[in-house]
Amino acid sequence: MKKLYTLFFTLFTSAFFGQTYSITLKYRANGAGCHAAGYDWSFYGNTTALASFSDGGNSMDVPTTYTTYASVANYSSFKLYLYNSCVRLGAATKDCSDNNSSEVTTVNLIKGSYLGLNGCNGGVSVDKFIPNVNIKNLDVANPTEVCAGFQLGLAAFPDKFPPEAYHWQYSSDNMITWVDVPATINGVTTNNINTVNFSMQDILGTNHANFLDKQIYFRLGYTQTRAFSTPIAIKYSSCAPVVKQVLYIAPKCNGDKVQQIDVYFDRKLKPNEDLFPIYLKNEDPTKTTPLFQLPSPVTSLNFDIATNWYTYSFINPGILENNNSYTIKYQARLSGTPAGSLQSSQTPFIYIDPPKMEFKITGQTQPTCFGGEDGTIDIEILSGTYPYYFYVDNVLKTANKIDDLHYKITGLKANVVGYKIKVTDINDCIEK
């Protein structure tokens, strides 16, 4: 019957004073009768003997301590060797002639490489090789929380492990799934180093607002099951009123100022809380100038009975660009001290300018006789908002509708100097 032995031993007892590793060894017997003979196992770091033990039949005598690697100058060249030599024991019926060796770098062991030996009488392997590391939030005042828009600083200790030991991961689903922190963010190294800085939005992306006031977990490790450190939970707090929606009242005519922009927040301002600065931001990265930035803080919000939200309104703020995307950006402050910094939502609103009022004259007829009043002008509407109004020499005229875009003005007298034709739409907009 096959037997599986799982053995654990830890390098040193403290992770605070040196670089230590926890190793999981697994011994596998390969069949009845074979394991009655014995193996001698030896571990070496480069050429330095680190540990040895004998199989002894059905069990192994495994050391409980392991020499630290702190004195090794170059971790990238440091290797762990595993040797075995077979020794026939007692009444064993088979000779054992398997003598093997294997080696792998410490860095690759950290990343999950397998180191093992197998033979007639079974095999032993380094199944897990895990740095003993602790992590903490560098914000002493708020070690379990970070406000939106602020940098989160995380540190691992002790230092001087290989960089691969400081492999940061996070989980946004209560530690069900672990995701690697990006190697770089905005050109700055943010993984495989013992101290990192980034915002929650940097790692959570455009949907970061979905995780406000929830816990995000951080740890060091690889894949989903190899943890080097105990996870820590950081609450991602808004620390500010959160925008629920943005509505605007468009100008009546194309190219005019926006009449109003209403911003709806989920709550009212707290005592001594204000919003400053607050402004519109074009999502086009080439257009960086803040729009409609207020010169003074917003100190109160109006309650909207229809939504149970609280609003602030930009009145006659200015001109927006057609088909451009915008967000509201703002900084909350408590007694003048910055708190949460947010933008309106992960989905910007798109500004749609009213269509221009445009038309062209496509034809005309002269009166059939001198003094007659049966002249006509044909007009095609190019754009604008129905209904349309037609003026001849600033006098409103009734036009016959041919279809939605074509109209005919009739009853015109002969005029040697021509006519001044004006067409307006429902908003009294004219072609400019």
Side-chain angles (χ1 to χ4, degrees):
M1 180 178 67
K2 294 184 178 180
K3 296 182 180 179
L4 176 64
Y5 298 89
T6 301
L7 305 103
F8 303 87
F9 60 90
T10 304
L11 319 176
F12 280 71
T13 58
S14 172
F16 293 93
F17 302 102
Q19 293 72 45
T20 65
Y21 299 83
S22 296
I23 295 181
T24 302
L25 294 180
K26 288 189 177 179
Y27 173 74
R28 297 171 178 85
N30 284 343
C34 287
H35 65 272
Y39 276 115
D40 291 330
W41 310 98
S42 296
F43 288 88
Y44 285 79
N46 286 347
T47 59
T48 303
L50 300 175
S52 63
F53 54 90
S54 295
D55 169 338
N58 294 334
S59 64
M60 292 195 299
D61 179 18
V62 179
T64 56
T65 59
Y66 205 74
T67 304
T68 180
Y69 293 162
S71 61
V72 179
N74 190 343
Y75 288 103
S76 63
S77 64
F78 183 64
K79 297 179 181 179
L80 183 64
Y81 292 77
L82 175 58
Y83 295 95
N84 77 310
S85 62
C86 181
V87 178
R88 183 172 177 173
L89 298 178
T93 58
K94 295 185 179 181
D95 290 330
C96 47
S97 58
D98 295 325
N99 292 285
N100 299 311
S101 64
S102 183
E103 67 179 50
V104 68
T105 64
T106 303
V107 166
N108 284 332
L109 279 169
I110 289 173
K111 295 168 68 174
S113 295
Y114 172 87
L115 176 63
L117 298 167
N118 288 285
C120 169
N121 298 299
V124 68
S125 66
V126 175
D127 190 66
K128 288 184 180 179
F129 185 85
I130 296 177
N132 294 320
V133 191
N134 292 279
I135 58 176
K136 64 181 179 180
N137 183 1
L138 293 173
D139 189 342
V140 177
N142 298 289
T144 61
E145 182 182 27
V146 63
C147 289
F150 279 66
Q151 291 289 104
L152 173 65
L154 298 175
F157 57 93
D159 59 4
K160 298 182 181 179
F161 274 107
E164 289 76 10
Y166 306 112
H167 190 74
W168 294 94
Q169 296 183 306
Y170 70 93
S171 175
S172 59
D173 59 5
N174 199 30
M175 300 185 287
I176 297 173
T177 305
W178 290 97
V179 180
D180 292 338
V181 169
T184 61
I185 296 175
N186 299 323
V188 178
T189 300
T190 46
N191 211 336
N192 297 325
I193 54 174
N194 67 320
T195 302
V196 292
N197 288 275
F198 44 74
S199 71
M200 288 291 194
Q201 186 172 352
D202 287 333
I203 60 173
L204 298 174
T206 56
N207 293 323
H208 74 101
N210 294 338
F211 301 95
L212 286 172
D213 300 317
K214 297 180 180 179
Q215 288 187 322
I216 309 298
Y217 292 85
F218 293 88
R219 75 174 190 184
L220 298 176
Y222 285 88
T223 66
Q224 302 302 311
T225 58
R226 294 189 68 239
F228 298 168
S229 65
T230 300
I232 62 173
I234 305 294
K235 184 179 179 182
Y236 183 33
S237 298
S238 57
C239 302
V242 177
V243 173
K244 305 301 291 185
Q245 70 176 7
V246 179
L247 300 177
Y248 67 86
I249 301 176
K252 292 182 177 180
C253 301
N254 181 272
D256 288 351
K257 290 183 177 182
V258 178
Q259 297 181 57
Q260 185 169 313
I261 299 174
D262 296 323
V263 186
Y264 292 77
F265 294 91
D266 66 338
R267 64 168 175 83
K268 63 182 179 180
L269 294 176
K270 301 175 182 177
N272 300 317
E273 183 181 32
D274 62 37
L275 303 179
F276 187 80
I278 178 170
Y279 57 88
L280 257 69
K281 176 182 175 294
N282 195 313
E283 288 294 281
D284 184 340
T286 66
K287 300 172 182 177
T288 58
T289 302
L291 298 175
F292 318 147
Q293 182 167 330
L294 300 181
S296 57
V298 174
T299 57
S300 64
L301 302 173
N302 297 314
F303 179 70
D304 180 67
I305 192 171
T307 61
N308 286 326
W309 291 333
Y310 294 81
T311 68
Y312 176 79
S313 298
F314 293 82
I315 306 298
N316 294 322
I319 296 175
L320 295 177
E321 296 183 67
N322 190 35
N323 288 321
N324 277 227
S325 298
Y326 296 91
T327 57
I328 303 291
K329 297 203 71 173
Y330 57 98
Q331 172 76 65
R333 305 187 306 175
L334 277 174
S335 301
T337 301
S341 177
L342 288 166
Q343 62 185 40
S344 55
S345 70
Q346 57 267 42
T347 305
F349 73 89
I350 300 175
Y351 176 71
I352 305 298
D353 209 5
K356 291 181 179 180
M357 181 61 240
E358 295 180 308
F359 71 96
K360 67 178 180 180
I361 295 174
T362 58
Q364 68 179 84
T365 61
Q366 298 292 332
T368 55
C369 58
F370 179 78
E373 297 183 2
D374 57 351
T376 64
I377 293 178
D378 297 309
I379 294 177
E380 179 181 356
I381 302 297
L382 301 179
S383 65
T385 304
Y386 179 85
Y388 307 103
Y389 302 92
F390 303 87
Y391 297 82
V392 178
D393 294 334
N394 293 320
V395 176
L396 180 64
K397 294 287 187 180
T398 299
N400 297 323
K401 181 179 179 180
I402 299 172
D403 57 39
D404 288 344
L405 299 179
H406 297 88
Y407 296 81
K408 184 184 289 289
I409 300 175
T410 60
L412 299 178
K413 296 180 180 179
N415 188 338
V416 295
V417 297
Y419 306 97
K420 293 181 180 179
I421 305 299
K422 181 176 73 173
V423 181
T424 65
D425 66 4
I426 189 174
N427 295 315
D428 202 31
C429 300
I430 63 174
E431 183 172 356
K432 296 179 180 179

